Amino acid sequence: MFGVLGKSLPHTYSPRIHKSFANYEYTILERTEDEVRAIFEGKEKLEGFNVTIPYKKLACSLCEKLSDEAQAIGAVNTVVALPDGGFKGYNTDVYGFVYMLRQAKIDVNDKNCLVLGTGGASAAINYALKQLGAARIDFCSRTGEINYENVYTAQSDAQIIVNTTPVGMFPNIDDSSIDLSRFPKLYAAADIVYNPSRTRFLQQAEQLCVKHAGGLYMLVAQAYKASIVFKGGKFSLESSGKEEDELIERVTKSLESEMMNITLVGMPGSGKSRIGKKLADALNRQFIDLDDAFTEEYGVTPAEVIKTKGEGAFRTMETELAMKVLPRSGFVIATGGGIVTRPENSFYLRANSKVIYIKRPLETLKKQNVSNRPVSKSNGIEKLFEQRSPLYEAICDETWDLPDFEAGDPLVDSLIEKTAKTTGDS
C-alpha cells in the first residue's frame, strides 16, 4: 500500500500519475497532524507514501533515516518503510524542479533568484537552485524580512522568480502573490502550482514575453523518481537518460490533455455548440454550452437579460459564470460569441483550457439565421466580425478554419478525429 499524504487533497492527480509508472496500489491519505504522527509510529500499515502540503518538514523530523538531499533540505516528499521499523525520507522534488526548468530551457546559472514562500517545497527549490549555480537566492514571505510590501525595491534585480506557495491554485485561481511587471530584469518565472495549467502568475509571465514553466512537469517527474524508490530501485537525482525523459514527457502530456478543457470560441452562428457536442462525444467528455449554463444559473436567457437590462449587465453576469465554469477540468465548452470582448475573461478562458477558434468566413456567417440574437441584430454581423476576429485570433491556441456548413462539414469530422487521437482520455 502506497499513497499521497496531505491535509486536504480533493483535486490530487497523484494516483493517476503513479498508475502510469507502476502497478502497486496507491491511495489518498488525508490526515490531521496527529494522524500523521500516528503513521510514523506504525499505527497504520503503509509501505511508503508521498508527502505534500503542509507536512513535508514534519515528515522529515519523524523519519528514522534521511537521504543526503533530504538531510540537507530539511523536508521530504517521499517516504518508505524500513525493514526493521521506522521510515526513510527522500526528496524527489529537487529532481522534479530541475526537470521542469530543463523542459522550459530556463538557465539558472549565475542568475539572481527570488523564491516566493518558505515552506517545505521552497527548501527543495533552494537546494536545486544552488546545485544549478544560482548567483543569489532570496526568499519572500508574508512576514519575512523580504515581504510582499518591500519586495519590489529589495529585489528589483531579480532575474528568476519561483512561486512555491499554493497561491493561485484551484479553486482560488484569481489569486496571484506578486506583480511580475515590476521586476525590470526578469528573465524567467516558474510556478510549482499545476492546477490550473496557466495560473495568473504564468499568464503574466507569458504576456511579458519571459520564459516560464508550470508545475505539472515537476509533479510528474518527482512522482517518477518516487515510484523508483517505492519499487525498491536505486534512488538518484540524476536522469538515467533519454528513455526516462521520454516517459515523463509522455505521461505529462497525457495528463495535461485530460486535465484541460477544450473551449470553443467564435462568432455567433459559427457552429460552436454543434461542433462541441460532436467533440465531447468523440472524447467521452461532458459538454457545456455557456449560454445554456447561463439560463440554468440565472433562470433567464442571455437574450432576455440583454433586452431588459442591456448588454453590459449581461456581460457582467457572463463573466461571473465564466469564473465558475472555465477553471474546472476535463470538459468541452462552447462559449458565447462575445465572451472575448471583456478583457478579464481572457484569464479564465486560458487558465485551464485549450482554446480553439471556430473560424468561418463572413459570407458564410451571413447565411446563418442570427435574427434572434439581440447583439448581432443591433450591431450587424459585419461590425461584430470586424471587432471580434482579432480577439479570437489573439486568445486561441488553435484555429479551425472552416469554409461552410455544406456537405456535412467533413473537415470538422477530420479535425475532431485528429483531436481525439492526441487527447489523453480519447
Side-chain angles (χ1 to χ4, degrees), residues 275-288 331-332 416:
I275 293 170
K277 289 175 183 177
K278 292 181 71 174
L279 184 56
D281 287 343
L283 299 178
N284 194 29
R285 292 189 178 195
Q286 182 179 337
F287 172 70
I288 298 176
F331 296 92
V332 175
I416 288 175

Side-chain angles (χ1 to χ4, degrees), residues 123-135:
I125 271 65
N126 180 42
Y127 183 91
L129 292 173
K130 287 180 179 178
Q131 298 297 310
L132 293 170

Side-chain angles (χ1 to χ4, degrees), residues 343-374:
E344 59 265 38
N345 291 339
S346 174
F347 167 66
Y348 301 109
L349 284 164
R350 292 180 55 75
N352 218 31
S353 293
K354 176 182 180 180
V355 182
I356 298 177
Y357 170 27
I358 305 300
K359 184 177 182 180
R360 302 279 189 180
L362 178 58
E363 292 307 312
T364 298
L365 292 168
K366 284 181 177 179
K367 297 176 185 177
Q368 298 305 109
N369 181 15
V370 294
S371 58
N372 62 334
R373 302 173 189 263

